[in-house]
Amino acid sequence: MVGKMGKVIVIKERCKGCKLCVEVCPNKLLYLSNDLNPQGLNIISIKNEHECTACALCAQMCPDVALEVYS
């Protein structure tokens, strides 16, 4: 059986780089990047997106509703 593949969208204007999503990701796919949002804060990015299982724990943890997860 093949697991679900997910896609994580970071809404740059909302992300403040708090890294709560990074801590909760079971596959350790999220990281604080060097990309900046309009407020000048580093934002979250995803590596190895094909390994995302669409569990959506990152979106549930985000206090700023800055992540959208699709399966």
Side-chain angles (χ1 to χ4, degrees):
M1 183 170 139
V2 176
K4 285 194 290 186
M5 287 183 54
K7 179 169 184 69
V8 177
I9 305 292
V10 178
I11 303 169
K12 294 180 181 184
E13 295 79 17
R14 293 185 188 168
C15 182
K16 63 184 178 193
C18 69
K19 299 195 320 185
L20 291 173
C21 60
V22 172
E23 299 300 322
V24 75
C25 179
N27 296 322
K28 305 300 180 200
L29 302 176
L30 301 174
Y31 66 97
L32 188 62
S33 73
N34 290 325
D35 296 335
L36 302 176
N37 68 9
Q39 294 82 28
L41 301 170
N42 292 81
I43 61 169
I44 297 302
S45 288
I46 185 168
K47 58 185 172 188
N48 303 324
E49 189 167 3
H50 63 279
E51 295 179 19
C52 178
T53 61
C55 69
L57 289 173
C58 56
Q60 293 173 19
M61 183 59 71
C62 182
D64 298 305
V65 193
L67 299 170
E68 296 176 354
V69 179
Y70 299 96
S71 59

